[in-house]
Amino acid sequence: MLLNKTKSNTQKLTTNSQELKTNSFKTIFNQYNWDETLQSIFNKTTIDVENALAKDKLDLEDFKALISPAAKPFLEKMAQRSRMLTKKRFGNTIQMYAPMYLSNECQNICTYCGFSFTNKIPRRTLTDAEILKEVTFLKGKGYDHILLVTGEANKTVGVDYIKNAIQLIRSQFSNITIEVQPLDQDEYELLIENGLYAVLVYQETYHQEEYKKHHPKGKKSNFEYRLETPDRLGKAGIHKIGLGALFGLEDWRADSFFTALHLKYLQKTYWKTKYSISFPRLRPHSGGLEPKVEMTDADLVQLICAFRMLDEDVELSMSTRESEVFRNNIVNLGATSISAESKTNPGGYSVEPQSLEQFEISDERSTEEIVGMLKGQGLEVVWKDWETFNNKM
């Protein structure tokens, strides 16, 4: 009898363990249909928008209403609410960060990226000495938050290369973020041990069939592996995860809903982790792809305000993809972090300024000009927001 009970408990533990292993955002994602989701957003009415604006705490149905066409006449009211919530939570501050591209080598074919494997361009991966030269330039500008970016080429810029880069520069920055190929949980754990603070991983589009069209070759073609990357990060104990979709590949409203759905799942599942949302729109690049669905400036403002109203605590980031005028306005409406003087090519700051960019930036102002603009709007520039205990070791 005791033996049978022990076997039963063992089987139950094994089952629970398997459930934990298989439980991921994919389970939630598979419950939704893209076309039905998009239609439900377009079906939202003025009354739905007014009800959402009347609430202090919004749910995902309210978020749908705020990103729907029905919300367009309420944009000014949304902007005022977003501004108020941002000031309440983050004060009159905005964080500065800089991307540093380490390599443009990539084994993926991506229709929208200048680094795509099929583009016949000179490939470049920075050496240790070149990385340190780039660091010297950025530190001279005042940056203390760095985003390391590479193409997805495991043999050239795999875990060992990224680990070495982090170790090389960790004494120079309060925190280090990466935007590289998705990795396994144990690989993230290794990088965290060596000073990694945050990871940005964009799904690009949550439309599975369209995703396949834009990623026909390479590891990135595995939709589900990329979809479950934030789960692996959460299990690895990362401090912050950045989410987003590339607007222009598919309808921005549906992609934004699935980003919000993903965010809420992660916050509930990995509640010790912080989160950020980015809003990249398709930009010109070598081999260019025209946006399938246009996202106007007004659409982007609407979306940023909707995310702020959905979540007061989430960080909202705005890159140099956007124009000077747009960024001048959005810094007081919901954005909490901003880049400046960005170079999207390896060595672009000081090593090899003329190498191929991943995409064209729009706001080309210097760091000093951006800081002046922010201060002119009454914002305090934050260079150092958080520091890992062992970063300076």
Side-chain angles (χ1 to χ4, degrees):
M1 183 74 174
L2 182 60
L3 180 61
N4 289 337
K5 188 174 182 180
T6 301
K7 283 183 177 179
S8 176
N9 287 339
T10 301
Q11 289 171 345
K12 187 180 293 185
L13 286 170
T14 301
T15 301
N16 289 340
S17 176
Q18 290 173 342
E19 287 176 354
L20 284 172
K21 287 180 180 179
T22 57
N23 185 33
S24 70
F25 178 65
K26 183 175 72 171
T27 307
I28 306 295
F29 177 78
N30 287 338
Q31 297 173 19
Y32 289 80
N33 174 276
W34 175 279
D35 292 333
E36 291 175 0
T37 298
L38 184 58
Q39 189 59 52
S40 72
I41 295 171
F42 277 90
N43 286 343
K44 293 296 181 181
T45 66
T46 297
I47 294 175
D48 294 322
V49 177
E50 290 173 339
N51 288 338
L53 290 172
K55 292 183 178 180
D56 290 327
K57 190 172 180 61
L58 278 62
D59 59 27
L60 287 170
E61 287 301 314
D62 297 319
F63 181 77
K64 284 183 181 179
L66 293 179
I67 63 173
S68 72
K72 284 190 175 297
F74 297 86
L75 187 55
E76 181 60 33
K77 189 171 184 179
M78 289 174 63
Q80 292 175 2
R81 176 88 171 270
S82 179
R83 177 186 172 93
M84 181 272 292
L85 291 173
T86 304
K87 300 298 181 186
K88 171 187 169 186
R89 170 61 179 82
F90 296 92
N92 291 318
T93 65
I94 193 154
Q95 184 185 90
M96 296 283 287
Y97 74 94
M100 187 169 82
Y101 280 66
L102 302 179
S103 175
N104 63 3
E105 298 193 48
C106 192
Q107 296 301 308
N108 294 320
I109 296 177
C110 300
T111 61
Y112 49 83
C113 182
F115 293 174
S116 182
F117 179 74
T118 51
N119 285 346
K120 304 303 180 184
I121 61 170
R123 301 291 173 169
R124 189 83 154 79
T125 298
L126 300 187
T127 64
D128 287 3
E130 290 170 337
I131 291 173
L132 291 175
K133 189 175 180 181
E134 294 284 278
V135 165
T136 298
F137 176 89
L138 292 172
K139 291 302 293 183
K141 293 285 184 175
Y143 289 100
D144 209 36
H145 287 206
I146 190 78
L147 168 63
L148 302 181
V149 187
T150 72
E152 299 190 13
N154 189 54
K155 291 182 180 180
T156 311
V157 287
V159 177
D160 290 340
Y161 179 87
I162 298 165
K163 175 186 171 184
N164 175 70
I166 292 172
Q167 290 176 330
L168 193 65
I169 70 172
R170 64 188 295 184
S171 65
Q172 301 293 313
F173 296 97
S174 293
N175 63 60
I176 299 170
T177 300
I178 61 172
E179 185 180 342
V180 301
Q181 61 186 310
L183 304 171
D184 292 336
Q185 182 180 333
D186 62 332
E187 294 173 321
Y188 283 128
E189 290 169 350
L190 175 65
L191 296 180
I192 291 168
E193 289 172 5
N194 283 275
L196 178 63
Y197 164 77
V199 176
L200 307 185
V201 55
Y202 306 139
Q203 189 60 31
E204 314 299 11
T205 179
Y206 287 86
H207 192 304
Q208 193 161 358
E209 293 306 313
E210 288 297 315
Y211 182 95
K212 292 177 183 177
K213 296 177 184 177
H214 292 292
H215 309 95
K217 183 182 182 298
K219 189 175 181 180
K220 195 171 180 176
S221 63
N222 188 332
F223 177 87
E224 291 187 353
Y225 184 77
R226 193 170 189 88
L227 188 71
E228 294 182 309
T229 302
D231 276 289
R232 297 192 297 277
L233 282 164
K235 291 170 185 174
I238 194 70
H239 188 83
K240 184 168 76 174
I241 299 172
L243 303 174
L246 180 57
F247 300 123
L249 298 183
E250 249 303 329
D251 191 286
W252 66 267
R253 290 183 172 89
D255 263 328
S256 298
F257 169 78
F258 282 107
T259 303
L261 180 70
H262 206 166
L263 171 67
K264 288 304 174 185
Y265 158 81
L266 291 167
Q267 288 176 325
K268 183 177 180 180
T269 310
Y270 310 105
W271 52 271
K272 292 183 178 180
T273 300
K274 291 175 64 177
Y275 297 92
S276 67
I277 304 291
S278 296
F279 304 90
R281 285 192 284 186
L282 199 59
R283 291 285 301 156
H285 69 91
S286 175
L289 173 74
E290 290 297 318
K292 177 181 177 180
V293 179
E294 182 186 9
M295 184 188 208
T296 66
D297 285 356
D299 291 336
L300 185 50
V301 171
Q302 181 182 353
L303 177 60
I304 291 171
C305 294
F307 261 109
R308 174 55 66 224
M309 285 185 277
L310 176 68
D311 194 309
E312 295 182 20
D313 296 320
V314 71
E315 297 177 15
L316 304 181
S317 181
M318 188 55 52
S319 77
T320 54
R321 284 175 180 260
E322 299 304 328
S323 69
E324 294 183 18
V325 173
F326 187 89
R327 298 208 322 155
N328 287 356
N329 286 285
I330 205 63
V331 292
N332 265 310
L333 296 182
T336 58
S337 65
I338 189 171
S339 58
E341 205 168 336
S342 301
K343 303 299 181 183
T344 65
N345 49 317
Y349 295 108
S350 60
V351 174
E352 192 175 356
Q354 301 305 315
S355 62
L356 181 82
E357 296 180 323
Q358 184 182 32
F359 56 85
E360 293 178 14
I361 63 171
S362 183
D363 188 348
E364 297 183 348
R365 287 174 293 180
S366 69
T367 300
E368 293 79 9
E369 288 174 305
I370 295 294
V371 169
M373 178 272 290
L374 295 172
K375 289 182 177 180
Q377 296 201 39
L379 292 166
E380 178 186 350
V381 175
V382 176
W383 298 100
K384 180 177 179 178
D385 179 51
W386 190 86
E387 181 177 342
T388 55
F389 177 75
N390 63 351
N391 234 28
K392 303 299 182 184
M393 293 175 61

